[in-house]
Amino acid sequence: MRLLSVNVGLEEPIEGAKSSGKTGIFKRPTHGPVRVTKDGLAGDEISDKENHGGVDQAVYLFGSPDYEWWSEELGRELAPGTFGENLTVSGLESAGAYIGDRFSIGSAVLEVTAPRIPCVTLAVRMGDPAFLKRFRRAERPGLYCRVIRPGEVAAGDPVESGAYSGERVPAIELFRVFFEPDPDEVTLRRHLAAPIAVRAREMNERRLARVLERDAETRSIV
């Protein structure tokens, strides 16, 4: 795999999305090396910090196979950064990645923490009110990563991957379970055993607590 593009964006006005009226989803390719810190890429701005960014979702990756699929699906060429990703990577299929897998890019090392869950800003960005449903059905979410080792990255850098040795949770499984109304205890515990992003962890902990409470109530009735 190889890094095709490094993309950053500044806050820009956007209509029909967040109440702030601003977004950082409009990423554009940069030239030359870019510093990667635990908080993300230098020069990249995030508007909705409640749902995006943070050390567990510091860098967003999207792969060329997914771009090719979407270009055919939408009937037009899509430029790097269209999906709001920081790094566009050749040969990376997000559906084949696992939570905890690592990518060495330039002098930086990243660790997969979560799939991207689509929000209304993405639908506005793509100019399609139905895009959230299309994105969900496509199951090509891209990957959020935490920064294990800060460094510099630049277009053309080789990308080396390493498999996580702990609980193997496919990123696409986390994506699917997000939309399930009632995931089971075993699945939730598996996900919590993996190094998932803090937002996903907090949500799964709440869901697990509800499952355990419901099961306890059922046993008390019996």
Side-chain angles (χ1 to χ4, degrees), residues 92-172:
L92 173 65
E93 295 193 59
S94 54
Y98 288 76
I99 302 299
D101 285 354
R102 292 188 176 185
F103 296 102
S104 297
I105 310 174
S107 56
V109 177
L110 312 178
E111 181 178 77
V112 177
T113 60
R116 192 251 193 87
I117 303 300
C119 64
V120 66
T121 302
L122 179 62
V124 175
R125 167 73 175 94
M126 301 304 292
D128 180 2
F131 195 77
L132 300 190
K133 292 181 179 179
R134 297 178 72 175
F135 192 86
R136 177 184 173 183
R137 289 195 301 268
E139 295 194 337
R140 297 170 180 270
L143 304 168
Y144 279 121
C145 298
R146 63 171 60 93
V147 178
I148 299 299
R149 185 177 70 203
E152 288 189 341
V153 298
D157 284 343
V159 178
E160 298 180 359
S161 62
Y164 180 58
S165 60
E167 184 69 48
R168 298 284 284 166
V169 175
I172 196 63

Side-chain angles (χ1 to χ4, degrees), residues 17 24 26 42 47-48 62 65 69 72 80 101 103 118 124 140 143 191 210 215:
F26 297 102
S47 296
D48 179 14
F62 208 79
W69 188 91
E72 183 174 346
D101 285 354
F103 296 102
V124 175
R140 297 170 180 270
L143 304 168
H191 291 184
R210 289 196 295 269
D215 290 349

